[in-house]
Amino acid sequence: MTVLDTSMPHIPVMMTLGPHEPIADVALPEGYRFAAWEPRFREPWVRLHVLLGQLPSYEEGVAYFGRTYESDPAALERQMVLAVDGDGVLAGTSSLWRGDHFGEPRLRVHWVGVDPAHQRRGLARALMLRTIALYDELVPAGEPPLYLTTQTESWVACGMYRKLGFVPYRGPMPPNFGSDPETFCDKNDEAWRLIDDRLRNCARSPR
């Protein structure tokens, strides 16, 4: 997505996908196309997420990619979502991957990101729609619902996720969320207040 807004205090949050209409087709902006996973995308994937501040370094990103995605090559080929420009250069990514935040494996939206040179063209929305459509193929009943984790610094992305049908998670702390159960609900409420304030202020700002 966009580079993280580091002026915001860091509070992790979760969102779950609510009821939504079937997604028949996903169109990318002119000059872009979806691409199937190939090993040549590994290095650009890592460099993109380092550029966006989502990974601390290239070396750590390579190690993370290896132990996460490359641990299941079949799922990597099936569940990595890539958008490339007319020259076949990586412009944005998303994926549908296993998460264990709820104490059992279930699918989540993972590592959404668009290169700054390609932002504000609708790529992030298209990547997300493609990811949701893939989830609907793999989990036709929609149960358990698709979820994602994000943080207050990604408040712009949270606004887009809401428009796509995701809602803030307001339940008790999932067993593997990695927070303090005693303060989770208060912190979660604070996080969504901060996110909503930023989104409202942005909507009121002159364009």
Side-chain angles (χ1 to χ4, degrees):
M1 199 60 62
T2 56
V3 176
L4 300 178
D5 179 359
T6 55
S7 70
M8 290 280 273
H10 174 73
I11 307 176
V13 295
M14 302 180 71
M15 303 182 80
T16 57
L17 182 61
H20 58 283
E21 295 295 321
I23 299 169
D25 191 23
V26 181
L28 281 167
E30 185 177 356
Y32 296 92
R33 61 179 174 85
F34 289 113
W37 168 256
E38 300 176 38
R40 72 179 181 89
F41 288 120
R42 182 174 183 257
E43 179 178 338
W45 188 99
V46 173
R47 294 197 182 281
L48 169 59
H49 291 285
V50 171
L51 175 65
L52 295 173
Q54 298 170 334
L55 287 168
S57 71
Y58 176 76
E59 292 73 21
E60 291 179 72
V62 168
Y64 172 85
F65 195 95
R67 67 176 179 267
T68 303
Y69 288 112
E70 293 178 331
S71 67
D72 191 340
L76 172 59
E77 290 187 13
R78 181 178 64 245
Q79 294 163 211
M80 177 66 75
V81 181
L82 303 173
V84 299
D85 65 14
D87 296 320
V89 175
L90 184 65
T93 82
S94 179
S95 66
L96 196 62
W97 207 253
R98 297 181 303 273
D100 64 353
H101 295 87
F102 289 92
E104 59 183 11
R106 50 188 281 192
L107 291 174
R108 60 183 287 205
V109 178
H110 209 38
W111 293 100
V112 182
V114 175
D115 188 295
H118 301 278
Q119 290 177 7
R120 300 186 182 277
R121 302 180 190 182
L123 284 178
R125 182 177 183 275
L127 286 162
M128 282 295 299
L129 286 172
R130 183 75 168 228
T131 305
I132 293 170
L134 180 58
Y135 175 79
D136 290 343
E137 291 177 18
L138 298 177
V139 188
E143 288 294 337
L146 179 62
Y147 79 99
L148 60 85
T149 61
T150 184
Q151 56 280 317
T152 43
E153 299 99 308
S154 297
W155 60 270
V156 175
C158 291
M160 182 194 70
Y161 297 147
R162 276 181 158 164
K163 291 177 181 177
L164 294 173
F166 286 85
V167 296
Y169 176 79
R170 298 281 192 177
M173 190 185 87
N176 294 328
F177 190 64
S179 187
D180 182 350
E182 294 186 4
T183 61
F184 172 78
C185 289
D186 288 342
K187 283 286 189 182
N188 197 44
D189 288 344
E190 178 188 358
W192 286 108
R193 178 184 59 77
L194 291 168
I195 291 168
D196 289 342
D197 284 349
R198 286 293 176 96
L199 290 170
R200 279 193 294 268
N201 290 337
C202 183
R204 287 196 294 262
S205 299
R207 304 271 180 201

